[in-house]
Amino acid sequence: MLIITTDPGVDSTRDSGTGMTKQLGFISALPSDIVFEIFEYLNQRDCLACLTVCHDWYNIIPQYTQGIWKELRLDTRHASGDYQRLGRCLGRHVKHVIISRRNKQEQQIEQEQLHSIMRKLIDWECIEVESFELECGITAEDQTTFVDLLQQLAPQLTHLRLVNHMSLVNIMHLICALPEVTHFTCYFSEALETDREVAVSANIPIEYVTKIINLQLDAWWLISKQQRESLLKRCPNLQCYIDPRQDQQEMIDLDEVFQYCPKIKIYSAEHIEDWQHEKYLAYMNNNLSGLRCFHVVNSIEFHQVAHILDKYQGTLEHLSIFVSDWYPDWPNLSELVQLPNLRTLIYHASTLDANSFRIMLNHSPRLETVDLYLYSSFLHLTLNTLRSLHVLHSLRYFTCHSVVLNEDLSLLTLLERFPALEELVLYDATLSPNLPRYFESPKHLKYLELGGISWNYDDDDDDQEATIVRFFKCLTASSKLQVLKLTMMVISGPDLLMEISSLSTLNHLEVQLGRDLQGMEEVLLEFIKTLQNAVIKTLKIFSVFGLSFDAAAALADLPYLTTLCIGGDVIFETDVRVNKKGFLELLQKSSRLDTFMIIGQFVLEDGNQQLEHSHIVSLVGQIQASKTPGTRSQSWDVQHLQSHFVKSLRRYEDILYITNRIVW
């Protein structure tokens, strides 16, 4: 968020005895292209600060920093006050404007505040805006005023995004008033409860055609099926349609959607994450035709989905199917999923049998990502099933929840079918840790996440820990593993910890220690010391009862550590007892640490004495002053959000998150 002071700026009058070039320094001494490149390293706050250096900088710096201000974020603070320096930096080069609430406690942006901000932007000549995003702003009563101001601000507006609105707006009125809009998003707040419908197409001629190619709506309880159909009929060039539906009766027939909008490449009846959406939008910038991304739920009738899959089997590349328990189960889709160009398969359902798994993968040879999640059953993959799988040379990401691979060669055979695998995630899985001596670990594996694993040991296995150690050694021997997450998987022996810590390529590690781990304090210290040979940036250790001085000092010696999380035993609600001197050593000595999290009940001890809140605040102030010379010591701002939720203690360089409860 852009933070702007209320300082009105500097006097704009020139000193008659001072020439501009004498005050500009390097700006006048260097070629202009180099000056432009230098100022590209500034952020918006730095740019505003530079304007206070001298009168000449105030006048000329805005010429070199226009690229910094292409995107402008404002909030309700900017509705009042004289932001002279901000105005100096703005103009026709501002292309993207985002107006939001100052904080989440504000339920709605007042109309007077919104109109004041928009008028200021017009006064600052920001009149060539291409993208406009508004959070909690428009009301039906003031929509005409908003549209009039937006037409002045952005006569060529192409992207309009309205997020979390708590008042009804006339969607079609907005679209018709802004005829150049190609991307339109409207998300209503779930807190908006009303018996009225959103007026979508009232008084708009049926022959009116919009330029919209990207339409995202989230207001199924406000926009009726008839109104949405009327809107779609006016969008013949639509390529992306995202419209999460919750009511089966309100779903528009898929054949009708594709009849109204034959150019659709992306269709989703579920929310799509922003990063995923940006990835899919690349399809809209090419000349490829046909449906490319299809996200459906079983509130849509099965025969409609089957028809679309059959019709676009030659073009479909991303398929997500969410079969919930709220509606009757669909028939088995495996024989329909015969998509030769499919790259992403996401299948979340109650059940999936091994034969369907085999058919879906064998009929999609170009798969890159597979994500399977079963709610109420297990996917039993036998050796015969795995051996009948085709080799998928492009598969890089494989995730499976609730899978059974309990034969000795099961995991080996699965990995052999995915030779290019980079990420492997298995949850609620039954695995055999008995890997053969000739096992060749996946060479490209960078990310491994195992959670809730049940091990299927041999009956004559006397040393189960040694078997698990051999398993991890074989699995990671040839890989360049960077991320390892062992969640809901208790480590009860020191040998496995030492094996994990010896992975020199790791930069992200999450482990959970066992309550019965013998000599936990000594083992933990040795484990941390061994990690100094790796490039650990993020370290999360759970079920830790205490952090001694030596352990904390060893953590401070990890040269690349930026994020540290120490968690107690959540089930038994044990304390995380942290030595005071070690705590100070860690925060003061660690050169890169910027986030420190303690999950559970936090006790900071000085010998056998627990420190009071005021002592901790004083310690933090001392650390801040020592790490930032010339800065006055400041207390941490303790935000009591909610009991058992995040409480944050913030300071200038480092952040300490303490969740659950704090024992002072």
Side-chain angles (χ1 to χ4, degrees):
M1 180 59 64
L2 178 63
I3 300 177
I4 304 171
T5 66
T6 55
D7 186 351
V10 298
D11 185 7
S12 60
T13 59
R14 287 184 57 90
D15 184 350
S16 58
T18 303
M20 178 175 289
T21 56
K22 294 181 180 180
Q23 298 294 325
L24 293 180
F26 74 90
I27 296 179
S28 60
L30 295 174
S32 59
D33 57 333
I34 296 179
V35 176
F36 274 111
E37 187 172 348
I38 291 173
F39 280 110
E40 283 180 357
Y41 288 93
L42 297 182
N43 58 33
Q44 293 180 350
R45 189 189 305 179
D46 295 334
C47 181
L48 292 172
C50 286
L51 265 63
T52 65
V53 171
C54 67
H55 176 71
D56 289 332
W57 277 39
Y58 178 81
N59 283 324
I60 200 169
I61 279 184
Q63 302 175 23
Y64 293 98
T65 57
Q66 292 185 2
I68 300 173
W69 297 95
K70 286 185 178 180
E71 179 174 301
L72 178 63
R73 293 176 177 267
L74 302 173
D75 58 46
T76 50
R77 286 174 296 178
H78 300 94
S80 58
D82 182 12
Y83 294 93
Q84 183 177 342
R85 282 181 293 151
L86 176 61
R88 282 284 302 153
C89 297
L90 305 183
R92 295 173 183 264
H93 51 276
V94 176
K95 301 301 181 183
H96 312 287
V97 174
I98 301 172
I99 301 177
S100 64
R101 298 169 293 177
R102 182 176 182 179
N103 54 63
K104 299 303 179 183
Q105 283 69 39
E106 293 180 338
Q107 293 294 320
Q108 184 87 346
I109 297 178
E110 297 296 332
Q111 294 303 293
E112 293 77 10
Q113 294 177 320
L114 173 61
H115 298 162
S116 175
I117 294 172
M118 295 178 72
R119 289 188 178 99
K120 284 185 177 182
L121 289 172
I122 295 170
D123 292 341
W124 290 330
E125 296 189 2
C126 303
I127 54 175
E128 294 184 5
V129 174
E130 298 173 356
S131 173
F132 189 88
E133 179 175 331
L134 177 63
E135 179 186 11
C136 290
I138 312 173
T139 63
E141 293 76 15
D142 292 309
Q143 182 169 326
T144 301
T145 303
F146 169 78
V147 169
D148 290 342
L149 291 172
L150 192 56
Q151 287 174 328
Q152 299 178 54
L153 191 64
Q156 301 298 317
L157 188 72
T158 58
H159 292 62
L160 178 60
R161 182 178 172 88
L162 309 177
V163 182
N164 204 28
H165 280 260
M166 300 182 65
S167 179
L168 296 176
V169 294
N170 187 318
I171 293 176
M172 205 62 196
H173 177 220
L174 288 174
I175 294 174
C176 292
L178 304 163
E180 300 302 318
V181 167
T182 58
H183 295 64
F184 180 72
T185 299
C186 188
Y187 291 165
F188 286 94
S189 169
E190 293 183 2
L192 176 58
E193 297 181 0
T194 178
D195 294 330
R196 296 169 54 193
E197 289 183 357
V198 175
V200 174
S201 56
N203 302 321
I204 304 298
I206 189 62
E207 62 272 10
Y208 180 83
V209 174
T210 74
K211 293 185 178 181
I212 292 179
I213 61 173
N214 185 343
L215 178 63
Q216 300 182 54
L217 301 174
D218 188 2
W220 64 269
W221 68 101
L222 293 174
I223 307 178
S224 68
K225 177 180 178 180
Q226 180 180 0
Q227 294 278 29
R228 296 197 315 279
E229 286 180 339
S230 180
L231 179 58
L232 288 176
K233 290 177 181 178
R234 294 176 168 87
C235 301
N237 297 310
L238 193 65
Q239 298 183 32
C240 175
Y241 180 44
I242 301 175
D243 189 10
R245 297 267 67 78
Q246 302 293 330
D247 190 338
Q248 191 170 20
Q249 295 181 347
E250 286 295 310
M251 297 297 299
I252 303 177
D253 187 273
L254 285 180
D255 288 334
E256 293 183 4
V257 172
F258 285 88
Q259 179 182 347
Y260 303 146
C261 311
K263 298 181 181 180
I264 286 183
K265 299 179 182 180
I266 304 168
Y267 175 89
S268 178
E270 280 287 305
H271 284 290
I272 296 181
E273 299 293 337
D274 287 342
W275 67 268
Q276 204 173 20
H277 185 234
E278 291 299 322
K279 172 184 175 182
Y280 293 157
L281 286 184
Y283 290 107
M284 299 173 59
N285 298 324
N286 57 42
N287 296 322
L288 299 175
S289 60
L291 184 65
R292 301 285 162 173
C293 309
F294 193 41
H295 298 248
V296 293
V297 295
N298 62 333
S299 56
I300 303 176
E301 294 184 6
F302 171 77
H303 71 88
Q304 297 182 36
V305 175
H307 180 246
I308 295 298
L309 290 178
D310 179 63
K311 181 178 180 180
Y312 295 101
Q313 62 177 323
T315 63
L316 201 58
E317 297 187 21
H318 301 273
L319 175 62
S320 298
I321 298 175
F322 297 89
V323 183
S324 70
D325 294 330
W326 299 344
Y327 298 97
D329 282 342
W330 280 347
N332 200 317
L333 272 176
S334 60
E335 296 184 5
L336 294 174
V337 184
Q338 301 182 24
L339 309 168
N341 293 308
L342 194 66
R343 293 164 53 190
T344 301
L345 173 62
I346 301 175
Y347 187 83
H348 293 195
S350 298
T351 60
L352 178 67
D353 62 82
N355 188 52
S356 299
F357 171 82
R358 178 185 62 83
I359 293 174
M360 286 195 297
L361 267 61
N362 284 348
H363 286 165
S364 306
R366 296 183 61 189
L367 274 172
E368 298 176 1
T369 301
V370 173
D371 181 351
L372 306 176
Y373 193 113
L374 306 184
Y375 308 134
S376 56
S377 66
F378 283 86
L379 173 61
H380 290 263
L381 297 178
T382 64
L383 270 177
N384 288 335
T385 300
L386 294 169
R387 286 168 176 164
S388 65
L389 285 177
H390 298 167
V391 177
L392 297 177
H393 294 282
S394 299
L395 191 71
R396 294 183 295 162
Y397 312 102
F398 183 78
T399 299
C400 190
H401 288 241
S402 304
V403 62
V404 176
L405 296 162
N406 58 0
E407 298 178 67
D408 286 352
L409 298 179
S410 295
L411 184 60
L412 167 64
T413 307
L414 180 71
L415 294 176
E416 285 178 342
R417 296 302 185 267
F418 309 149
L421 193 67
E422 296 180 10
E423 293 189 11
L424 175 62
V425 179
L426 299 176
Y427 264 84
D428 294 331
T430 301
L431 301 179
S432 169
N434 301 303
L435 294 176
R437 295 184 180 275
Y438 56 84
F439 178 81
E440 184 177 355
S441 62
K443 298 179 181 180
H444 303 284
L445 191 65
K446 299 178 182 178
Y447 183 107
L448 176 61
E449 183 172 354
L450 301 177
I453 301 298
S454 299
W455 300 104
N456 185 36
Y457 298 101
D458 289 341
D459 294 336
D460 57 351
D461 195 341
D462 297 328
D463 193 347
Q464 296 180 353
E465 182 187 353
T467 303
I468 299 298
V469 172
R470 286 196 301 272
F471 171 85
F472 275 95
K473 181 177 290 188
C474 291
L475 189 60
T476 60
S478 301
S479 65
K480 303 296 182 182
L481 202 62
Q482 297 177 6
V483 178
L484 177 60
K485 298 182 180 181
L486 304 179
T487 57
M488 297 186 295
M489 176 180 161
V490 176
I491 299 176
S492 300
D495 292 342
L496 180 55
L497 273 179
M498 294 303 106
E499 179 62 35
I500 292 171
S501 64
S502 66
L503 298 172
S504 60
T505 55
L506 278 183
N507 61 51
H508 184 120
L509 176 61
E510 298 181 19
V511 294
Q512 180 177 346
L513 306 183
R515 291 176 53 83
D516 55 349
L517 180 61
Q518 298 295 323
M520 177 182 289
E521 187 172 316
E522 293 77 14
V523 172
L524 182 61
L525 176 59
E526 188 63 27
F527 169 67
I528 295 172
K529 287 182 177 180
T530 310
L531 286 176
Q532 294 176 6
N533 299 322
V535 289
I536 294 292
K537 297 179 181 178
T538 299
L539 177 62
K540 299 182 180 182
I541 309 175
F542 300 98
S543 296
V544 176
F545 303 141
L547 196 63
S548 65
F549 170 82
D550 291 335
L555 286 169
D557 289 333
L558 295 178
Y560 304 100
L561 189 65
T562 60
T563 301
L564 174 64
C565 176
I566 303 295
D569 194 313
V570 178
I571 297 177
F572 295 95
E573 297 186 350
T574 55
D575 298 348
V576 180
R577 312 184 80 84
V578 181
N579 177 272
K580 168 199 167 184
K581 292 183 178 179
F583 177 74
L584 293 177
E585 180 83 2
L586 172 61
L587 294 183
Q588 198 163 23
K589 185 178 178 182
S590 182
S591 59
R592 300 191 181 187
L593 186 67
D594 58 27
T595 302
F596 181 28
M597 297 177 285
I598 293 183
I599 299 177
Q601 184 165 302
F602 174 60
V603 180
L604 190 60
E605 295 182 325
D606 186 5
N608 294 322
Q609 177 185 6
Q610 296 181 12
L611 296 186
E612 299 292 334
H613 173 202
S614 58
H615 294 162
I616 298 179
V617 170
S618 176
L619 291 174
V620 173
Q622 294 172 26
I623 297 172
Q624 177 183 338
S626 66
K627 296 187 76 170
T628 56
T631 303
R632 291 187 302 170
S633 173
Q634 297 181 4
S635 299
W636 284 359
D637 176 23
V638 182
Q639 299 177 341
H640 298 280
L641 299 179
Q642 289 185 22
S643 177
H644 304 294
F645 279 82
V646 175
K647 297 181 179 181
S648 59
L649 304 179
R650 301 182 182 275
R651 60 189 166 95
Y652 182 76
E653 288 187 48
D654 300 302
I655 303 175
L656 169 61
Y657 291 101
I658 300 179
T659 66
N660 201 353
R661 299 182 303 280
I662 303 179
V663 177
W664 303 115

